[in-house]
Amino acid sequence: MVFLEALSGDALRVGLPVSEAHAPERSGTAAGRVPAVVYLWGIQAPRPGQPFGAAATEEVTRICEGKRLRVAARSAGPEGRIAGSVVAEGKETSGREDVGRALIRLGLAWQDQRGPSSARLRSLEQEARREEVGLWQQEAPTPPWA
């Protein structure tokens, strides 16, 4: 997939490759790509307008821009919406970064307490809290679901 834009700290617009044989009616869309929205699985970032919301969106752009994205889809919904883990890959093999994990490590997202998550995400959040990075600099950060 290719990165098109960050919609928020936990939602990305991507271009899915499509062959003309599979979707002839869309073959001209974005140079042979169909846009889709990927929601980062297991995390929730501050919304635009909330403290650190803009920083989370900017960080997603910084991590993903100009890189190939690998998405491990957990679920797919209507209108091209996908929930999954996203890894941005640079030109070198060492240039791989899990976007959701990076946001939590930087204190720009919570591990999602409303649904399934992972022990790794919970551990990264606890570390960010201890180090008081990002949104954990605030006395009582308000999660987007509250």
Side-chain angles (χ1 to χ4, degrees):
M1 295 185 188
V2 296
F3 174 74
L4 299 176
E5 69 177 317
L7 301 174
S8 67
D10 52 20
L12 298 76
R13 187 179 317 280
V14 299
L16 301 173
V18 175
S19 71
E20 197 165 327
H22 289 98
E25 71 283 357
R26 294 184 176 177
S27 62
T29 305
R33 298 193 179 270
V34 173
V37 176
V38 176
Y39 294 90
L40 296 174
W41 179 88
I43 77 163
Q44 287 284 309
R47 296 286 155 247
Q50 282 187 291
F52 295 93
T57 303
E58 290 166 9
E59 187 63 20
V60 169
T61 299
R62 187 198 67 74
I63 293 170
C64 296
E65 200 164 47
K67 296 180 182 154
R68 180 177 41 187
L69 302 181
R70 295 221 182 255
V71 177
R74 302 272 182 149
S75 65
E79 300 171 11
R81 294 179 186 181
I82 300 165
S85 299
V86 176
V87 173
E89 296 181 336
K91 296 189 191 280
E92 317 85 43
T93 54
S94 62
R96 307 177 109 192
E97 189 163 21
D98 182 292
V99 180
R101 288 180 181 178
L103 288 173
I104 289 182
R105 186 177 59 252
L106 294 169
L108 296 173
W110 288 260
Q111 60 91 21
D112 191 353
Q113 298 173 5
R114 301 173 308 144
S117 188
S118 73
R120 180 70 178 138
L121 293 176
R122 286 189 294 278
S123 173
L124 287 169
E125 182 180 308
Q126 289 305 316
E127 185 177 320
R129 284 176 185 248
R130 276 192 305 276
E131 294 176 7
E132 296 181 350
V133 297
L135 59 92
W136 303 114
Q137 296 170 35
Q138 301 172 84
E139 188 171 315
T142 303
W145 62 83

